[in-house]
Amino acid sequence: MGRTADICDEYGNEVFVANEPFLSHGPARSFEGPIETVRVFEDNVLVEQALGDIPAGSILVVDGGGSSRRALLGDNLAEIAVNRGLAGIIVNGAIRDSDELREMDVRVFSRFTNPRKSVKEGRGERSIPVDFADVTWTPGDYVYADSDGIVLLPAKS
């Protein structure tokens, strides 16, 4: 695992740093891997679907529009990530069950916590570029995340 500071030093202007504060949940100190994306708003049906079928070792990046009103992930969905061997989850929005997540073998970064569950309408998009935290997150790009932050290295064309 490359440390985010070392990745920034090595790749310079090729790497992008997520420039928003994120909360860290889970015992893992760091993660890295290729990303898959979901764009939703207060609805986590596509989040659950993605967790169930993206490749092991991947990082799910969830653009929840930055909403703090409803959690897009909790311990039940995080358990899917653990069982499938996903590297981590980044949520531009809220999660819940944060105490339980701290004990699970997956690291989750989120903008907020909120105990209110999401709606279940199945609205959103998958496997598309999403923009938040001054970064464009494109499926197949590579993320490094640790206590210093989250950095993205675009895939080579």
Side-chain angles (χ1 to χ4, degrees), residues 20-153:
E20 296 288 336
F22 283 85
L23 304 171
S24 177
H25 317 277
R29 293 173 44 116
S30 61
F31 63 74
E32 67 178 77
I35 66 169
E36 295 289 338
T37 63
V38 174
R39 179 188 295 141
V40 297
F41 188 76
E42 299 181 4
D43 182 332
N44 74 351
V45 170
L46 294 182
V47 174
E48 182 174 8
Q49 289 175 1
L51 290 169
D53 64 23
I54 66 174
S58 296
I59 296 166
L60 181 61
V61 175
V62 179
D63 181 4
S67 175
S68 63
R69 298 184 306 195
R70 294 186 177 270
L72 296 173
L73 180 93
D75 61 344
N76 291 333
L77 294 188
E79 187 67 30
I80 296 170
V82 170
N83 291 338
R84 297 210 50 255
L86 302 184
I89 304 165
I90 299 169
V91 180
N92 179 32
I95 61 98
R96 68 185 201 165
D97 304 320
S98 59
D99 288 338
E100 290 82 358
L101 290 178
R102 283 187 192 93
E103 304 298 320
M104 299 177 78
D105 192 24
V106 64
R107 188 160 186 188
V108 176
F109 284 94
S110 73
R111 297 285 313 283
F112 314 101
T113 60
N114 188 313
R116 188 179 302 276
K117 69 180 179 178
S118 71
V119 297
K120 310 285 186 204
E121 297 174 351
R123 295 182 185 185
E125 300 174 274
R126 285 188 57 183
S127 299
I128 59 164
V130 295
D131 294 298
F132 62 89
D134 295 333
V135 173
T136 298
W137 311 80
T138 302
D141 287 352
Y142 209 83
V143 163
Y144 299 86
D146 60 23
S147 297
D148 287 340
I150 303 170
V151 298
L152 180 128
L153 187 60

